[in-house]
Amino acid sequence: RYYPFPGRIVGHPSILEGSQEDIVASAVELASRKGVAGLDLLAYRSKGDVPALMEAVCHAISKPVIVAGSVDRPEQIETIRKRGAAGFTVGTSALDGRFPAESGDLTSQLKAIFACAQI
């Protein structure tokens, strides 16, 4: 399934640029396209009010929004859940042992992430 990034994405690692209004407009336009199953929102790689951005994008479209990029703390996962996102991705933060867990190994990190997400 195709989940493009709304907004203007620059650099590596990818950064989300633009105002909340511009990002929401991009999200609405992308979500209206045939073949787009949902959106991949780099909320924590943007400037401004991240929770408000998540909520605005999630409420502006009827397709699922997955929050990606720099998710590395339990409180972020809670914010993602409360703001209406369908899910989130975790990359190197799990490999780097960033979540509070029994140990820094990947299995312990994933268990801690699942517990935060109440999966």
Side-chain angles (χ1 to χ4, degrees):
R1 300 187 139 216
Y2 183 49
Y3 281 65
F5 294 116
R8 188 163 54 109
I9 310 301
V10 296
H12 184 76
S14 301
I15 302 296
L16 175 57
E17 291 187 346
S19 69
Q20 179 174 308
E21 294 77 20
D22 291 341
I23 296 166
V24 170
S26 172
V28 169
E29 193 278 324
L30 284 171
S32 72
R33 293 184 185 194
K34 183 178 179 179
V36 172
L39 299 178
D40 197 356
L41 181 63
L42 292 172
Y44 285 107
R45 292 196 184 157
S46 68
K47 294 181 180 175
D49 186 337
V50 171
L53 174 62
M54 281 188 263
E55 188 169 344
V57 170
C58 290
H59 286 56
I61 67 169
S62 60
K63 295 181 178 179
V65 174
I66 304 298
V67 175
S70 300
V71 176
D72 62 5
R73 295 186 306 278
E75 52 273 11
Q76 289 175 319
I77 294 172
E78 183 64 20
T79 299
I80 292 165
R81 292 176 64 234
K82 287 181 177 178
R83 299 300 174 155
F88 61 94
T89 65
V90 174
T92 55
S93 60
L95 296 173
D96 293 342
R98 302 279 309 261
F99 284 87
E102 292 178 14
S103 74
D105 68 271
L106 184 58
T107 299
S108 295
Q109 287 290 296
L110 293 175
K111 285 180 183 177
I113 292 164
F114 289 149
C116 293
Q118 297 181 3
I119 295 175

